Amino acid sequence: MTNRVELLLRDRYDSFTMSERMIANFLLENMSGVPFETAASIGARVGVSAMTVGRFLKSLGYHRLSALKQDLRDGLGDAPWLLAPATGAGLDERLRAETAAIAGVYRLATTPEWQVVAQLLAGARRVFVAGFQSERGLAMGLANQLGYVRPGVRLVDTAAGTFGEITTEADAGDVIVLLDVRRYSQHLRKLAEHATARGVPVVIVTDPYCPWARDVAPHVLTAEVSFGHFWDMNSALGSMLNLLVDDVVRLIGEPQVHARLARLSAAYEDFIGFQGRGGTTMPARSPGGRVRAKAAGKR
């Protein structure tokens, strides 16, 4: 059952600032638990001040959180508070929320914090990337893309259990990128604390609800992942990482990046070869650029 608070938040969502969207998303995802929250606890979970939460509620027409709670009670009727009602969100509604999240990432890309992170990724001696849970694929993609445009990028072996690349090798000249969303892996916080204590810059890429990210890392970038699907949707996070790589290319300089890509492409063609027309493999070229003919059945 859709209540007045949900309708109000969704109707005005496009006009909200980034901080307001973080609060709105928390309320939309946690309405059954709002009666147990305060403005301070919501602010702590979202990553804004209690005053920001209060101002947001006033902009919605609620002079205090208790008024919003009363509206929720009226909307839910006799439904138990601890059981979240089915949203029944249609595809169009979810598409709107997902599109808004991606638009939020593009606005984030204009902020000073974003520029600091992009500078770190472009200028650090080495970049270590680690992802947890379903974000491991995003971490691998980021490491691969960055590895094409700059040297010294390593995907951390999270299966080994020692995180040796971070715990024994990383230093102040490097940068560590950690990716995770709710429910946050214990590794994420421990690695961030360990690296920060040793003076290694840490960037955490997560959702807007991580309550402690800014306590353990100097740089935090967030994107919404929850739009009413069974699984979290990482489309906004993926967009964020693509934009970061794009800014790294800009900061390094396109001529230098193109030169690196040309060397990598030549090496790939020499060792493996690219697919030609008709599904055949293009012959590898020698260092001098001449095609190395391979006689069938001969070594």
Side-chain angles (χ1 to χ4, degrees):
M1 178 171 54
T2 303
N3 56 63
R4 178 178 179 276
V5 177
E6 182 179 354
L7 289 173
L8 180 62
L9 292 171
R10 295 191 184 282
D11 184 61
R12 296 181 55 181
Y13 191 90
D14 289 344
S15 66
F16 292 156
T17 65
M18 180 62 66
S19 294
E20 290 171 340
R21 286 188 177 189
M22 290 164 59
I23 301 169
N25 285 326
F26 173 83
L27 295 175
L28 288 168
E29 291 296 317
N30 299 277
M31 285 191 177
S32 61
V34 170
F36 307 101
E37 302 285 351
T38 65
S41 66
I42 292 174
R45 294 183 66 179
V46 172
V48 300
S49 68
M51 188 175 298
T52 299
V53 175
R55 284 197 299 265
F56 175 67
L57 294 177
K58 287 182 179 178
S59 73
L60 297 176
Y62 300 102
H63 290 289
R64 56 188 61 188
L65 184 57
S66 59
L68 181 139
K69 291 179 180 180
Q70 184 58 54
D71 251 3
L72 285 175
R73 288 191 185 95
D74 295 340
L76 290 175
D78 295 328
W81 277 102
L82 290 177
L83 296 179
T87 61
L91 284 177
D92 55 343
E93 190 174 355
R94 283 179 278 172
L95 174 61
R96 180 180 178 185
E98 189 172 350
T99 303
I102 294 174
V105 166
Y106 273 77
R107 280 190 291 275
L108 179 63
T110 65
T111 63
E113 171 68 1
W114 177 281
Q115 296 306 315
V116 171
V117 172
Q119 289 279 2
L120 282 172
L121 295 180
R125 182 167 60 96
R126 293 176 299 184
V127 179
F128 297 93
V129 184
F132 307 97
Q133 304 182 93
S134 58
E135 284 63 55
R136 286 179 296 176
L138 287 174
M140 183 181 296
L142 174 62
N144 286 341
Q145 282 189 296
L146 277 178
Y148 276 115
V149 303
R150 57 146 296 164
V153 180
R154 294 178 62 179
L155 180 68
V156 176
D157 180 11
T158 57
T162 62
F163 305 97
E165 300 93 328
I166 293 176
T167 56
T168 65
E169 297 183 33
D171 57 34
D174 304 322
V175 62
I176 297 168
V177 183
L178 304 175
L179 295 91
D180 202 5
V181 299
R182 299 188 293 193
R183 301 167 59 194
Y184 317 101
S185 298
Q186 184 172 292
H187 313 75
L188 182 75
R189 182 166 189 164
K190 285 190 173 182
L191 283 173
E193 290 174 336
H194 186 280
T196 301
R198 293 169 51 226
V200 184
V202 175
V203 177
I204 292 182
V205 177
T206 184
D207 57 47
Y209 311 111
C210 186
W212 42 258
R214 297 191 182 278
D215 295 333
V216 300
H219 311 290
V220 179
L221 298 177
T222 65
E224 184 55 67
V225 298
S226 182
F227 310 110
H229 304 83
F230 181 78
W231 293 113
D232 285 340
M233 299 289 284
N234 290 331
S235 48
L237 285 176
S239 180
M240 174 191 292
L241 299 179
N242 285 334
L243 285 175
L244 275 174
V245 173
D246 199 58
D247 267 357
V248 169
V249 171
R250 175 182 57 81
L251 291 168
I252 293 175
E254 287 195 21
Q256 293 92 320
V257 172
H258 281 306
R260 176 177 173 80
L261 290 176
R263 292 193 298 272
L264 291 173
S265 180
Y268 186 91
E269 185 176 353
D270 188 45
F271 283 103
I272 300 174
F274 291 99
Q275 283 297 112
R277 294 178 181 176
T280 60
T281 301
M282 295 288 287
R285 294 181 179 275
S286 66
R290 291 174 297 177
V291 174
R292 296 199 303 268
K294 295 184 179 179
K298 296 183 179 180
R299 292 186 179 275

